[in-house]
Amino acid sequence: MEEIEKVQALKEKIISLIENASNVNELKTVQETHLSKKSELNSMMSLIRNLNNEDKILFGQAMNNARNEINTKYNEKLNYLNELLIKEKLEKESIDITLPGMNYQLGGINPFYQIQDEIMDIFVSMGYEIVEGPDVETDYYNFERMNIPANHPAREMQDSFYINPTTLLRTHTSPAQAHAMDKANGKPLRIVCPGKCFRRDDDDVTHSHQFGQVEGLVVDKNINLGNLKATLELVLRKMFGEKREVRFRGSYFPFTEPSVEVDISCMECKGKGCPTCKGTGYIEILGAGMVHPNVLKMAGYDPDVYSGFAFGIGIERVAMLRYGIDDIRRIYTGDVRFIKQFKRN
Ligand code: DAH
């Protein structure tokens, strides 16, 4: 049938135009001129008028088939061209992952804070609470509350930075004991307090005008010297190794009675005697004792009912022993060559 052949021919033409379109714009032009309402293909529908009923059916089918075929081809081509666009874009925007990355400089943690953190972790694991006390103290808390009265020789032992006649930079963390007890209001307590201390010392390899301590305090009923010994033995072995001998020597502090100084067997020579322990085989590590009844009384505890133990550890001293640091000043003078050696990976 002539009419159907016309439709076929037009269909072939449109399909070849679709196939030849090399981009989305060209394809859109084909759509506008050949697939719109006013297109040649659509106007061919008028040919149907001249046909008999049987041919009308055949012609109608031919028109539908032609439209379907063209639409399928058109959609296929549109998808193909869109994918091509995406592919080109991805290729253009691709990242070269073979380029070397940027190196970040990781800082080191000052050994002072590594040791302080370690001590805190040990005590927290034993149920102690961490508290803080002020760096600027009153004379009353720094001395009086620690059983060091006005004319006591210990006040000279600890030459202090006074801000005014009644205010000073604390010379030890012990006043944190008094603050903690005041706050506990007669109840049992178990605390550690890390912090800075200040003394008018001339700086040298082992002395510094500013240093860190950790104060510890336990107050409860039936606390005795055995509890103090067991606690400190456990902590010191955790910090310096299970094989360390721990030795308690009688000593004197105004705020404890009895008072002890605690030594550990030298980790360098294992107790034989060497320059690190000055030939004694032992290294002094901290001061401690049973809380003096006067200190308990001033905080509102009845010393006949409550007792406690306390201790004070110098942080720099522990850091120096642990890392073999020969001069305390290296810890706070901020030389990067020093700090770099304490990087943690
Ligand atoms: N406060 C003492 C000092 O600065 C250290 C100390 C010793 C603290 C014995 C204590 C203690 O709690 O019981 O040298």
Side-chain angles (χ1 to χ4, degrees), residues 55-197:
D55 286 351
K56 271 184 183 158
I57 294 172
L58 290 175
F59 180 80
Q61 279 171 351
M63 275 298 278
N64 276 344
N65 289 343
R67 280 208 185 98
N68 287 341
E69 228 178 292
I70 290 168
N71 278 338
T72 310
K73 282 272 182 244
Y74 176 83
N75 287 331
E76 275 173 14
K77 185 74 188 218
L78 188 65
N79 282 343
Y80 168 77
L81 288 175
N82 277 334
E83 268 168 34
L84 209 66
L85 268 183
I86 292 171
K87 225 166 129 190
E88 273 170 16
K89 213 172 161 195
L90 280 178
E91 265 162 31
K92 241 195 267 166
E93 290 173 4
S94 74
I95 297 163
D96 183 357
I97 55 164
T98 63
L99 277 175
M102 280 199 284
N103 249 337
Y104 288 100
Q105 289 280 337
L106 268 189
I109 295 177
N110 190 301
F112 177 92
Y113 289 103
Q114 293 195 29
I115 293 293
Q116 183 175 294
D117 288 351
E118 193 181 314
I119 298 173
M120 290 303 108
D121 283 350
I122 294 172
F123 280 103
V124 166
S125 78
M126 301 196 303
Y128 284 64
E129 191 189 335
I130 300 174
V131 301
E132 273 180 64
D135 289 358
V136 179
E137 258 307 353
T138 56
D139 186 274
Y140 172 69
Y141 272 97
N142 195 77
F143 294 123
E144 229 123 303
R145 286 294 297 271
M146 299 323 292
N147 201 33
I148 312 172
N151 47 10
H152 195 285
R155 288 210 181 184
E156 272 151 73
M157 254 162 56
Q158 301 181 338
D159 272 358
S160 324
F161 288 110
Y162 270 90
I163 289 166
N164 64 41
T166 56
T167 318
L168 72 162
L169 300 181
R170 69 174 165 198
T171 59
H172 53 175
T173 45
S174 298
Q177 291 185 29
H179 287 294
M181 284 188 278
D182 286 356
K183 236 175 137 185
N185 213 5
K187 295 209 176 59
L189 82 164
R190 212 177 331 173
I191 55 112
V192 276
C193 171
K196 295 258 157 48
C197 308

Side-chain angles (χ1 to χ4, degrees), residues 108-109 114 330 336-344:
I109 295 177
Q114 293 195 29
R330 298 197 197 286
V336 282
R337 291 170 304 181
F338 172 74
I339 276 300
K340 267 185 180 166
Q341 298 172 62
F342 296 93
K343 271 187 191 174
R344 285 199 279 206

Side-chain angles (χ1 to χ4, degrees), residues 16-67:
S16 90
L17 283 172
I18 289 173
E19 276 168 356
N20 289 332
S22 57
N23 59 47
V24 176
N25 275 346
E26 278 179 37
L27 190 65
K28 288 258 157 76
T29 315
V30 177
Q31 187 203 29
E32 277 154 23
T33 45
H34 295 287
L35 303 175
S36 66
K37 277 215 164 117
K38 285 179 198 149
S39 66
E40 197 184 349
L41 184 66
N42 244 6
S43 62
M44 275 194 174
M45 263 326 264
S46 58
L47 295 176
I48 208 166
R49 277 188 239 129
N50 314 322
L51 302 176
N52 62 34
N53 279 351
E54 252 170 57
D55 286 351
K56 271 184 183 158
I57 294 172
L58 290 175
F59 180 80
Q61 279 171 351
M63 275 298 278
N64 276 344
N65 289 343
R67 280 208 185 98

Side-chain angles (χ1 to χ4, degrees), residues 146 158 171-174 177 197 199 211 213-216 253 255-256 259-260 286-290 309-313:
M146 299 323 292
Q158 301 181 338
T171 59
H172 53 175
T173 45
S174 298
Q177 291 185 29
C197 308
R199 286 184 204 173
F211 56 95
Q213 282 188 341
V214 173
E215 193 75 17
F253 298 105
F255 32 89
T256 45
S259 304
V260 291
L286 57 83
M290 299 306 293
F309 68 74
F311 54 88
I313 313 172

